[in-house]
Every structure is written in C-alpha cells, then in structure tokens.
Amino acid sequence: MTHILHFTDFHMEQYAKKIFGFAIRKTGNHHHAEDLSQDILLALLKSLQSGREIENMDAWVHTICCYTWSNYLSKEKRYWQTSDIDSLQMEDASIRLEEAHVLNESLERTKREMAFLNRLHRTISVMYYYENKNVKTISELLHIPLGTVKWHLYEARNKVKEAMNLEHGTSTLSLKPVRLTVGHSGSPGPKGEPNKYFEALLAHNIAIAAYEQPATIEEIARSLGVSCAYVEDFIHKFEYSGLFRKVGKDKYQTDFIIGDMKSNIAQATYLKAKAAELADKMHEAVTAKLNDLKTIGFHGCNCSDAFLLWTLIPYAVNYQYNRVKAREYYARYGPEERKDGGKYTVQARIRYEEPEYKASIPDYDRVRQYASNGIKSRSTGKYFGMQMESCWSGMKWRDFNSSDIVDMHHVIRLIESGASHTEYDKERITRMVRKGFVSYKDGRLDCLVPFFKPDQYKAFIRILESLLQEIDAKAALEQVHDDFVAIWKSLAPVHISHKDIVTKAVSDGATIVFAVMEHLVHNQLLSLPSEEEKERLTTIMWMSGED
C-alpha cells in the first residue's frame, strides 16, 4: 500500500496531464476543460490531505475524476452533448505540451487565488480542503451555523473560479510598489505619530490601492499580489485610527489626501508665480523697517542684517498667512479627536525617483527648494518660539523644544545681570551654545538669535503689522489660501470631506514661506548662510506677559 501523508506539488505534476486529458476528452472545449480541471484539483486536495492509505493511486484519481465529472455534468448538462462518451480510461498520449503547461499554470493560480479570499472564506476553505474537516466539525469549531459554513464554501469556490476566469486590472503595485512620505498636522495621540502606521511598505500600497475607489480586502490583496492575511490587520488598524472609512458591508477606502505628481506640478507652478508677486514687496518692506525693528533692542539685534532677514521675512510671511481668515474659521476646520487619542490630519504624498521629478516639474532645480521639514511652533506658559526647517538650514530636524526657550530666557537674564555663573547656569549655557543660540567667548555671553521680551515683542508686532498692511499682504496671502483650497478640491477624490481639503490647503499653502525665500535667494536678495549660521537659521523666540 502507498501511504500518502501530504498531496504535494509533486503528486499534482504527476497527474496533471492525465487530469487535463480527461477533462478535454469529456468537454471537448479547452475553456471548459480548464474549469473542470479546477474542480477536480479541489476535490483531490480535499480527499488526499488526510493521510489516508491508498492501494492504487491511479484508480483513486480516476474515481475522483469520474465523480467530479458526474457532478459537473449534472449542473451544466444543458451545455453538453453526451452521445460521444466512451471509456473513462485516462490517456495522456495526445495531450499537447502547451495544454500540460496550461494545467500547471491553472494549479498555481488556484492556490494563489485561494490566498486572496477573505479571512473567514480562507479559514473555512483551509479547514475543509487541506485539513479534511467536515462541515459539521467546522461549524462546531468556529461556532457558526452549519448552513453558514456551506455558504462560505460555496462562495469561496465560486470566487476562486471567477477570479481565475477573469482578466485582472492593470494595477502595477505588485510589480512597482509605491512609497509614501507620511506626516501630520495637529497633535498625535498617546500611541504616537500617524506615520507609525506606515512603517511597512505594504501599508503604503494598501492606502494607494483603496484611494480612488473603495475596495474589498480581497480586491486590495489581489491588486498588491499578496494574501489577504497580510492585508487584514493593516486595514483594521487603519479603520480604527480613522485613516480608512468603511463603505457598505465589506469595502474600505483611504480617508486622507495623498499627493502625487499631478498635485506636485500644480502646487509648484502656482507657488513659483505667486512668490514672484510677493517676495520683492516683502523684502523691500522688511528691509525698510529693519532699523526700526533693531531699535526695539531685542536680544540678537546685533546679528548681521543679512542673518536677521533670514528670520524676519519668513516669520512675517507665516504670521500673515495664518491670519488671513478669522480665528473661528481655523477653529472650525481644525482636526477632530480620533479613536487613537490624536487630533491630527494626515499629510501624505507619493515619493518619486529624482529623474521623475526632473522630467515632470518645470524649473525643478528651483522649486525643489520649496521642500521643508516643517515649521515648528513651540510654547509653554509665557514662552513661545518658532523654527523653520529648510534646505538652507541643512534640511534636517534640529532639536528645538519649549524647554529651550525657557533655558534661553535664563541665559538672557545672565546676559542682562552680568552675574557670575553657577554650575546650573553653566549647564544651560552649554546647551544653548551647542544649539548655536548663544556664543560664549572670553567670558562674554552673546545672543545669536532674535529673542523678544514681552514689551519688545509687542513693539515688534506693531511694526510688523504696519508693514504688512502697507503692501496689502493679507489679500495676497488669502488668495494663496483660497487657491490651494481650489487646487485640492479639484484633485482630491470625491469622498474627501471639505474640512479635510481645507486643512490640507492650509498646510500646503504655508509652503509660500519657502517659495518666497527661494525667490529672494535666486535673485540674490538673500545671501546664503554660512555653515555656522545654518544651525540657528530661521529661529525666533519671544515671551508674553510679565518678564
């Protein structure tokens, strides 16, 4: 006797030609022969996975073929002429090599399509066909009705057959996966920033696969060429965090905006034109008021004019941009709290290779400098600060925290008082020197970034608002906001809410700050910072209330 423990690929290959030969003889049709072969393969998987002892394997396979053909014929009898049925002996002499290849390919597709079934379809199919459990046992193990098990088996079998007979879509994600850059606008929850959901490349492509149209887990898995088992956990996490929305009974859709090359081109083209309109006016206005600003006597006012402009101009643009609408407007479009405890909007875009950017975006060598690592606002009590990360500061993430502003105020007091330094003072001074915010030479402390005490900051804002009004900066920057809303309204999928579009527009529109800086550098109105200046570039701190 032959003891079969596992029906392996070897056994399938051994009988592949015979099975297909049987099917082609019975159906007389290449397409229907493939269909019948699939049914036989599934029946064999069920019958031979239990480790049963088979005395004559040829006879056993022949029996399965006949039994499956009988069932197939009874269901499809209206399509067949059975007058030519002769002996049931399987012969492979006349089978073409091409037909054998087709069957082998069909076998591989059968196994692959079973992997694309959803969790319950897949679980029941594996228990039935591979573990040789009967329907009653499966019902008891999964605690679901007997009829439900039969329905799932029926649906699973039909889905496999249907998928194998379909030409799938043109998705290239399985061959050329996409990478996203994922950030956020707002406050992350206790579980961390939303980019933690996208540590795996598969997560990036799941988001892309369900972006334009809602899709089932099976459809997403198939478009990525992976088993549903690898997709399900990601989707459940996305749904929990509000990054995916559920559509109908079993479909999901990405519920945040993803920027692509089309949006890159639209934004870059717009920002370059708008910066040309605004930058010269802004530079002229700030430069004209620079002596008035320095007269305020803020700490850091003795830095070079060129260095101060690197802070004061982008701060002025950002200050006005974030005030083009009423405070209630920004509150209305602020992010809501999510299930994971965060209050944020996800900011995502597709990453392309450098040649793709160059080939697609006009003046790419210039507009690439609009990219930044963000505008960091910090505050604690009466202390406030802002630092902008740009290509001119080295395009890195400089460590800048609320505690740094507190430490800077402590150092400012030491500068003003001239008091001797305790060990605690020295620790704070050392930290600020390392960040480039102060210098300490020959026992002398100097502030190297603008630091405004409460009265100084009030005077600064009065002058700033006056010059912004003179050049009608509010109207120009409000137009930037409105145009970015229009851009994203035209590009975002229809299911994206207006609130999310506005939030995205507010965030992306802030890039006008860096577009203005690039325009001034390009036209030599801003000189490039030194390596030493990069450490402290575009950093400003201030206080409110009493000193």
Side-chain angles (χ1 to χ4, degrees), residues 436-447:
F437 298 160
V438 299
S439 66
Y440 187 63
K441 295 180 181 179
D442 301 324
R444 175 185 171 86
L445 277 172
D446 284 303
C447 180

Side-chain angles (χ1 to χ4, degrees), residues 254-524:
T254 304
D255 204 19
F256 57 89
I257 295 175
I258 300 176
D260 58 9
M261 189 61 76
K262 186 176 181 180
S263 62
N264 289 338
I265 295 170
Q267 293 186 81
T269 303
Y270 176 84
L271 287 167
K272 184 171 180 290
K274 202 66 181 180
E277 296 176 12
L278 180 62
D280 292 344
K281 294 178 182 179
M282 186 66 70
H283 178 269
E284 182 179 349
V286 174
T287 302
K289 297 289 186 180
L290 187 56
N291 285 334
D292 293 343
L293 291 168
K294 293 171 70 174
T295 302
I296 294 172
F298 60 88
H299 288 273
C301 65
N302 292 324
C303 294
S304 70
D305 289 358
F307 179 79
L308 289 174
L309 290 175
W310 269 105
T311 297
L312 299 177
I313 291 176
Y315 182 84
V317 177
N318 188 69
Y319 178 89
Q320 184 62 84
Y321 176 75
N322 286 301
R323 288 165 176 78
V324 296
K325 302 290 185 183
R327 184 173 298 179
E328 295 75 21
Y329 176 88
Y330 295 108
R332 183 164 68 250
Y333 290 107
E336 298 177 354
E337 184 167 343
R338 296 173 178 268
K339 292 179 181 178
D340 63 5
K343 293 183 68 174
Y344 58 83
T345 299
V346 172
Q347 311 284 345
R349 56 184 173 85
I350 297 173
R351 279 189 275 170
Y352 298 92
E353 297 295 330
E354 195 74 4
E356 294 179 85
Y357 288 115
K358 289 184 176 180
S360 304
I361 301 178
D363 295 315
Y364 174 67
D365 287 338
R366 286 189 60 185
V367 301
R368 66 183 297 183
Q369 297 179 75
Y370 300 170
S372 75
N373 275 342
I375 299 175
K376 297 176 290 187
S377 297
R378 302 289 184 258
S379 65
T380 176
K382 61 183 180 181
Y383 299 101
F384 300 84
M386 181 176 291
Q387 188 177 70
M388 302 182 186
E389 301 287 15
S390 66
C391 64
W392 302 284
S393 64
M395 191 57 87
K396 59 184 179 181
W397 187 260
R398 295 172 291 176
D399 188 36
F400 181 61
N401 302 300
S402 301
S403 59
D404 295 329
I405 311 171
V406 177
D407 285 349
M408 270 298 290
H409 183 225
H410 185 83
V411 174
I412 293 298
R413 282 181 166 176
L414 292 174
I415 292 174
E416 292 177 342
S417 68
S420 59
H421 305 156
T422 66
E423 290 302 314
Y424 179 64
D425 295 336
K426 291 177 182 178
E427 288 180 6
R428 286 187 162 186
I429 292 170
T430 300
R431 285 199 295 270
M432 296 300 98
V433 169
R434 286 174 177 170
K435 290 177 180 288
F437 298 160
V438 299
S439 66
Y440 187 63
K441 295 180 181 179
D442 301 324
R444 175 185 171 86
L445 277 172
D446 284 303
C447 180
L448 300 180
V449 295
F451 188 102
F452 296 85
K453 298 176 74 172
D455 290 342
Q456 294 170 342
Y457 185 71
K458 290 177 182 177
F460 168 59
I461 293 301
R462 283 196 296 269
I463 296 173
L464 185 66
E465 290 182 341
S466 174
L467 71 86
L468 289 170
Q469 187 174 2
E470 288 176 7
I471 62 174
D472 201 13
K474 180 179 180 180
L477 291 169
E478 185 172 21
Q479 189 64 55
V480 171
H481 170 279
D482 294 345
D483 289 342
F484 264 79
V485 171
I487 287 172
W488 277 115
K489 189 174 182 180
S490 67
L491 295 177
V494 295
H495 72 280
I496 299 293
S497 70
H498 181 68
K499 183 174 184 177
D500 284 350
I501 288 173
V502 171
T503 303
K504 176 68 170 171
V506 169
S507 176
D508 286 4
T511 309
I512 188 63
V513 172
F514 304 99
V516 165
M517 293 163 71
E518 187 282 328
H519 179 89
L520 296 177
V521 170
H522 181 76
N523 289 281
Q524 300 181 342

Side-chain angles (χ1 to χ4, degrees), residues 206 208-221 223 231 235 244-247 249-254:
I206 290 172
I208 292 292
Y211 183 57
E212 294 290 346
Q213 297 292 335
T216 65
I217 292 177
E218 296 165 6
E219 290 167 341
I220 294 170
S223 71
V231 173
I235 289 182
F244 265 36
R245 66 179 192 132
K246 194 166 187 180
V247 182
K249 181 180 178 181
D250 59 355
K251 292 192 174 186
Y252 299 87
Q253 189 163 25
T254 304

